[in-house]
């Protein structure tokens, strides 16, 4: 995990947001935004709410080659500028070799929800995942009742591939999930 508390440059940027790696210096803003967004996130998502939990979460994303994490940062039209954290995107369970796949995770913060920022960010992530990360497939596992999440991946080109009962243990119970996926353009 980087020791420098200064934000790192964007890995990729669009008109309104950029993606950059997590850093230790993001703990205060990330956990404050997560706390402000609890009503939006529950019962679907449980991002870290303390500096200690943030450190463990960010450390796992930056220190494990089977995971990658990106903060979604608004930049006000200047991709070189910093900006408030609007959300986050993760690629977990990255498998290389013939599979070249990963599992997508994400969350918007309340101040950014409904503004199209996560849609732009997901488009940037797909280009990065299917480009520099050299992946072929991303899968998003979504609880059936999470309509905003389903709409986000549908708009990004994901297709519904199946249903998995009692797939993930979330908020004290095994939850059903739909499996949505997208593959890199073949050509």
């Amino acid at each position: 995990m980087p020791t420098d508390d200064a934000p790192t440059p964007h890995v990729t940027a669009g008109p309104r947001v950029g993606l950059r790696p997590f850093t230790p210096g993001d703990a205060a803003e990330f956990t404050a935004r997560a706390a402000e967004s609890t009503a939006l996130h529950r019962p679907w998502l449980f991002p870290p709410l303390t500096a200690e939990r943030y450190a463990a979460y960010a450390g796992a994303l930056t220190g494990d080659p089977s995971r990658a994490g990106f903060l979604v940062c608004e930049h006000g039209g200047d991709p070189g500028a910093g900006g408030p954290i609007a959300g986050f995107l993760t690629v977990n369970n990255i498998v290389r070799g013939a599979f070249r796949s990963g599992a997508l995770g994400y969350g918007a913060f309340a101040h950014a929800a409904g503004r199209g920022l996560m849609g732009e960010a997901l488009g940037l992530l797909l280009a990065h995942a299917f480009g520099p990360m050299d992946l072929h497939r991303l899968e998003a596992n979504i609880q059936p009742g999470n309509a905003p999440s389903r709409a986000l991946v549908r708009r990004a080109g994901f297709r519904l591939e199946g249903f998995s009962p009692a797939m993930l243990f979330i908020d004290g119970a095994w939850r059903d999930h739909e499996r949505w996926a997208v593959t890199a353009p073949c050509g």
Side-chain angles (χ1 to χ4, degrees):
M1 189 162 183
T3 56
D4 184 7
D5 284 347
T8 57
H10 292 125
V11 172
T12 183
R16 299 181 300 153
V17 299
L19 304 182
R20 66 173 177 79
F22 284 70
T23 70
D26 295 311
E29 182 182 0
F30 186 97
T31 56
R33 298 275 187 205
E36 294 166 358
S37 305
T38 300
L40 174 68
H41 292 157
R42 301 297 189 262
W44 322 112
L45 185 62
F46 296 82
L49 298 176
T50 67
E52 295 77 21
R53 288 192 175 163
Y54 171 85
Y57 179 72
L61 288 169
T62 58
D64 181 346
S66 70
R67 300 179 78 189
F70 305 95
L71 295 172
V72 177
C73 299
E74 294 183 73
H75 59 61
D78 179 3
I85 300 171
F88 55 96
L89 295 156
T90 62
V91 182
N92 301 293
N93 306 321
I94 297 171
V95 178
R96 299 290 175 185
F99 197 39
R100 292 186 11 228
S101 180
L104 179 67
Y106 48 87
F109 290 131
H111 76 281
R115 296 175 43 209
L117 300 175
M118 290 303 291
E120 180 180 327
L122 183 52
L124 292 169
L125 178 72
L126 291 175
H128 186 70
F130 297 147
M133 289 180 71
D134 196 31
L135 296 178
H136 174 71
R137 173 187 168 87
L138 284 178
E139 184 170 309
N141 298 298
I142 303 168
Q143 293 181 56
N146 190 344
S149 187
R150 293 168 65 218
L152 175 69
V153 298
R154 186 180 299 117
R155 284 191 305 270
F158 284 67
R159 64 192 169 274
L160 179 61
E161 289 191 336
F163 179 81
S164 296
M167 181 180 183
L168 294 172
F169 193 76
I170 298 173
D171 196 24
W174 289 98
R175 309 290 178 180
D176 298 343
H177 282 72
E178 294 176 347
R179 293 184 323 278
W180 292 78
V182 65
T183 51
C186 297

